[in-house]
């Protein structure tokens, strides 16, 4: 049992662990100084990154969309975290106020090969598409099993405007899990009816590292939480107490040296098993990102060791065995003159920060870009602009560059982008484009069966939990910040035996069938 001297060790420094540390302090009353977060990388935040400066160029692997109709645990947490930029406000209040002023209303959500903005008021469904979608959304997860989206929807569905918008908003591929696709339809039902404008999407004031990770990290530091970087946990010592798995020690490589941390009775361990950004790599204007595969001591290794011979700890191989089905590429562009933003804002009809996503639906790479409100980085000078983009098919040869996106330098990606927009390459004269390859970015969407993901606190464990995108959390959807924060809250409340409720997943799909059917009828 936990006592006043109990310590907590969090393996991995992603938003899941940072959130867990905050719940341990805020709700569990654990002194911050008893909590250590051990992160393999040089900074905290994991996949929720954003770094750089105007000279070297900015880089972020992702640009995240959030909502306030969902993300219950995330906002409940950030209602307790003070804003750094707006003293007196919480991060939640600061974000809400920002979104009241900067409202998403995409006017160029899809752009076709003729450079025409595709009318998207119609989703492009046939009656057949509607019936198939209704059937898939009504099916039980147990019936869907490990099937893929293509097992339920006919080829024509993947040509509808709906699919292009849904797939590029949430990064689904036709071969991904039917169970997860169905969960998204239910969880983000409100987005279904406004997917063409992305009106429900909420943005953070700056990139998510500056706006979410940094304030949370500062609050944890002020509570005395120990944030330890360059520390890879390579193995756990454990024994069995009362028939239950109990961790007794951690082996790690701390700044290049092997260390062992011994646990006392009542100490707790939380492990981030797997990561969507494991083995990701950055390129430059002149070089494509290196094609890395799983790092020997990367985010999957510890989970693989722990799950070996222990079925209740899940099956990592279900998620990390096929890079061809789980990879895509993104890029971040730093500009020192306004030519590109000026032309893009004129073309799209959206001021930066109001457009959501612009997708080039006929592009071989299925390329999209997002012009966020500026500045997008805390240290961004006023005369610098930054935007982010991605391609869901980096293995295909481009339309304007005769190379797969995965083999392209930043300069070549900009050439492809200008090709689709029919912009002279001069608009990129000052640009620094940093491409990023992410081999496991949609590994969470791989078809899965019950048991492939362990629950946050696996049965038969005593002082141990998993916090990640690879745990089973009923009703919630992966590839979201919310999923990791929810997993953290569940894990902390359960291990501490707290008599507090984790905020439930909001039932926007209440009487789902009636509402969904009505929506499908209403939507042409
Ligand atoms: C391109 C992209 C776009 C995205 N878009 C959205 C979006 O629109 N909306 C949204 O809500 N979310 C989005 N996300 C997802 C969101 O960022 C992630 O779900 C979330 O950040 C995952 O957090 P995590 O803490 O679970 O894992 P991670 O951030 O992956 O953190 C895991 C950490 O654990 C460390 N680690 C693992 N094993 C060990 C070990 N043995 N020893 C030490 N350290 C270890 C890793 O180094 C890593 O830092 C996006 C992410 C990306 C990359």
């Amino acid at each position: 049992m936990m006592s006043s001297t109990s310590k907590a060790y969090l393996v991995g420094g992603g938003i899941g662990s940072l959130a867990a540390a905050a719940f341990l302090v805020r709700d569990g009353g654990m002194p911050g100084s008893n909590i250590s977060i051990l992160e393999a990388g040089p900074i905290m935040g994991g996949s929720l990154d954003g770094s750089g400066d105007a000279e070297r160029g900015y880089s972020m692997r992702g640009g995240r969309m959030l909502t306030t109709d969902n993300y219950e645990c995330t906002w409940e947490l950030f209602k307790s975290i003070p804003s750094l930029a707006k003293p007196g406000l919480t991060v939640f209040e600061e974000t809400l106020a920002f979104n009241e002023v900067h409202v998403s209303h995409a006017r160029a959500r899809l752009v076709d090969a003729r450079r025409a903005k595709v009318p998207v008021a119609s989703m492009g469904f046939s009656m057949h598409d509607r019936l198939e979608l209704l059937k898939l959304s009504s099916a039980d997860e147990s019936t869907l099993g490990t099937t893929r989206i293509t097992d339920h929807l006919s080829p024509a569905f993947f040509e509808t405007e709906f699919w292009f918008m849904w797939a590029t908003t949430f990064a689904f591929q036709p071969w991904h899990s039917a169970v997860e696709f169905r969960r998204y339809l239910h969880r983000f039902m409100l987005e279904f009816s406004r997917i063409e404008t992305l009106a429900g999407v909420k943005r953070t004031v700056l990139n998510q590292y500056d706006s979410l990770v940094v304030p949370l990290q500062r609050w944890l530091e002020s509570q005395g939480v120990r944030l330890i970087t360059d520390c890879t946990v390579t193995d756990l010592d454990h024994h069995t107490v009362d028939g239950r798995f109990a961790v007794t020690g951690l082996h790690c490589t701390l700044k290049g040296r092997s260390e062992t941390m011994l646990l006392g009775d009542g100490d707790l361990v939380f492990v981030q098993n797997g990561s969507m950004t494991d083995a990701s790599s950055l390129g430059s204007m002149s070089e494509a990102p290196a094609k890395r595969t799983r790092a020997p001591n990367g985010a999957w290794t510890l989970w693989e060791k722990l799950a070996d011979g222990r079925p209740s700890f899940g099956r990592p191989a279900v998620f990390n065995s096929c890079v061809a089905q789980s990879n895509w590429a993104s890029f971040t562009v730093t500009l020192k003159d306004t030519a590109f933003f000026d032309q893009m804002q004129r073309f799209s009809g959206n001021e930066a920060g109001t457009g959501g996503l612009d997708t080039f639906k006929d592009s071989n790479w299925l390329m999209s870009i997002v012009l966020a409100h500026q500045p997008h980085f805390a240290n961004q000078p006023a005369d610098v602009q930054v935007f982010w983009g991605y391609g869901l098919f980096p293995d295909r040869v481009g339309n304007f560059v005769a190379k797969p996106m995965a083999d392209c330098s930043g300069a070549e990606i900009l050439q492809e982008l200008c090709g689709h927009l029919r912009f002279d390459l001069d608009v990129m004269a000052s640009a620094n484009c940093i491409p990023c390859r992410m081999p496991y970015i949609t590994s969470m969407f791989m078809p899965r069966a019950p048991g492939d993901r362990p629950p946050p606190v696996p049965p038969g464990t005593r002082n141990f939990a998993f916090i990640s995108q690879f745990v089973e959390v009923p009703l919630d959807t992966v590839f979201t910040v919310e999923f990791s924060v929810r997993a953290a809250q569940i894990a902390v409340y359960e291990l501490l035996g707290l008599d507090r409720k984790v905020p439930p997943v909001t039932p926007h799909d209440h009487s789902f069938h009636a509402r969904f059917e009505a929506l499908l009828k209403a939507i042409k």
Side-chain angles (χ1 to χ4, degrees):
M1 282 304 289
M2 196 188 110
S3 68
S4 58
T5 56
S6 290
K7 295 190 168 58
Y9 297 88
L10 298 122
V11 179
I15 187 73
S17 277
L18 299 176
F23 293 129
L24 283 166
V25 173
R26 189 193 72 178
D27 302 335
M30 189 180 262
S33 53
N34 287 6
I35 302 172
S36 302
I37 303 183
L38 315 170
E39 165 57 45
I43 53 166
M44 295 287 155
S47 303
L48 212 55
D49 64 327
S51 61
D53 57 46
E55 290 320 307
R56 287 178 300 137
Y58 291 98
S59 166
M60 49 197 170
R61 287 176 290 209
R64 287 97 193 163
M65 293 178 273
L66 313 172
T67 74
T68 41
D69 295 310
N70 313 94
Y71 288 72
E72 302 82 1
C73 300
T74 308
W75 296 128
E76 198 261 344
L77 168 64
F78 281 100
K79 279 177 188 170
S80 308
I81 305 302
S83 152
L84 296 177
K86 293 260 182 316
L89 294 188
T90 64
V91 170
F92 171 70
E93 291 165 337
E94 172 197 37
T95 312
L96 216 58
F98 174 81
N99 279 280
E100 272 163 24
V101 181
H102 305 282
V103 179
S104 294
H105 188 95
R107 297 181 198 284
R109 183 64 193 82
L110 298 181
V111 176
D112 72 11
R114 292 179 293 270
R115 191 191 186 262
K117 291 180 225 168
V118 178
V120 282
S122 155
M123 300 274 180
F125 291 138
S126 66
M127 187 52 75
H128 186 68
D129 296 329
R130 283 193 202 125
L131 286 174
E132 283 187 338
L133 194 56
L134 195 58
K135 199 166 157 208
L136 171 53
S137 63
S138 318
D140 286 337
E141 290 196 0
S142 57
T143 319
L144 296 175
T146 55
T147 59
R148 295 167 189 264
I149 306 171
T150 41
D151 293 328
H152 303 274
L153 303 174
S154 305
F157 184 88
F158 299 97
E159 298 302 322
T160 60
E161 277 77 32
F162 169 78
W163 173 255
F164 280 110
M165 291 189 281
W166 193 265
T168 52
T169 301
F170 298 118
F172 272 104
Q173 300 281 15
W175 52 82
H176 282 152
S177 158
V179 164
E180 193 60 27
F181 181 69
R182 178 192 173 280
R183 278 202 193 191
Y184 260 76
L185 290 174
H186 287 253
R187 181 80 158 119
F188 292 109
M189 185 170 180
L190 293 180
E191 305 326 309
F192 193 91
S193 54
R194 53 196 185 197
I195 193 76
E196 78 276 20
T197 57
L198 292 169
V201 165
K202 300 288 185 290
R203 302 279 182 185
T204 50
V205 179
L206 299 167
N207 67 83
Q208 294 73 53
Y209 180 77
D210 284 329
S211 284
L212 298 178
V213 173
V214 175
L216 180 52
Q217 181 172 336
R218 292 274 164 81
W219 185 82
L220 292 172
E221 281 163 349
S222 75
Q223 302 295 319
V225 173
R226 287 151 40 93
L227 303 168
I228 303 166
T229 52
D230 199 2
C231 178
T232 303
V233 176
T234 51
D235 210 349
L236 304 184
D237 286 332
H238 52 85
H239 64 184
T240 306
V241 182
D242 305 331
R244 289 153 77 202
F245 175 94
V247 182
T248 55
L250 305 177
H251 293 274
C252 54
T253 311
L254 175 61
K255 309 207 186 306
R257 288 190 325 272
S258 295
E259 298 241 342
T260 305
M261 299 177 185
L262 297 179
L263 267 65
D265 198 29
D267 290 354
L268 307 173
V269 174
F270 300 82
V271 169
Q272 297 221 268
N273 53 313
S275 172
M276 66 181 75
T277 51
D278 188 62
S280 68
S281 51
L282 299 179
S284 66
M285 274 299 268
S286 54
E287 279 190 49
K291 293 201 175 86
R292 295 174 57 200
T293 50
R294 255 181 306 153
N297 264 329
W300 300 107
T301 314
L302 186 58
W303 185 20
E304 285 167 344
K305 271 188 197 167
L306 291 169
D308 188 19
R310 221 173 263 120
S312 64
F313 283 7
R315 279 177 280 274
V318 165
F319 304 98
N320 66 17
S321 296
C322 190
V323 169
Q325 292 177 27
S326 68
N327 86 102
W328 49 261
S330 67
F331 53 95
T332 311
V333 185
T334 305
L335 299 154
K336 289 189 173 167
D337 70 55
T338 62
F340 177 75
F341 266 60
D342 292 345
Q343 288 208 30
M344 191 60 207
Q345 292 180 135
R346 263 201 306 277
F347 168 70
S348 67
N350 276 118
E351 230 179 89
T354 65
L357 278 178
D358 307 296
T359 292
F360 304 98
K361 72 177 268 289
D362 298 325
S363 62
N364 291 348
W365 298 349
L366 193 51
M367 198 182 202
S368 302
I369 56 169
V370 182
L371 270 59
H373 177 262
Q374 303 293 304
H376 198 46
F377 284 81
N379 65 348
Q380 185 180 325
D383 57 351
V384 168
Q385 294 173 312
V386 180
F387 73 95
W388 178 79
Y390 60 94
L392 288 187
F393 296 115
D395 47 352
R396 293 186 187 160
V397 168
N399 303 81
F400 298 89
V401 175
K403 273 185 177 183
M405 185 183 184
D407 294 342
C408 282
S409 64
E412 288 163 330
I413 288 173
L414 294 178
Q415 188 181 332
E416 177 77 12
L417 175 61
C418 285
H420 289 290
L421 282 164
R422 303 302 197 274
F423 286 176
D424 287 331
L425 209 46
D426 304 0
V427 296
M428 296 298 187
S430 72
N432 181 1
C433 172
I434 301 184
C436 173
R437 176 178 184 268
M438 297 173 285
Y440 300 103
I441 184 65
T442 55
S443 50
M444 309 78 69
F445 284 171
M446 293 299 281
R448 60 172 191 264
D452 290 343
R453 309 191 296 185
V457 181
T461 54
R462 190 161 185 267
N463 63 346
F464 174 75
F466 288 118
I467 295 172
S468 73
Q469 296 281 309
F470 303 91
V471 292
E472 180 52 37
V473 175
L475 303 179
D476 210 354
T477 45
V478 286
F479 214 161
T480 60
V481 171
E482 172 66 11
F483 193 89
S484 301
V485 177
R486 179 173 294 279
Q489 203 162 8
I490 293 172
V492 168
Y493 286 13
E494 210 172 314
L495 273 195
L496 264 49
L498 294 185
D499 188 19
R500 287 178 69 115
K501 291 255 172 305
V502 173
V505 167
T506 312
H508 292 305
D509 61 348
H510 203 54
S511 71
F512 178 80
H513 295 125
R515 286 187 63 180
F516 198 67
E517 240 171 313
L519 256 178
L520 280 174
K521 270 191 203 134
I523 290 164
K524 285 169 250 126

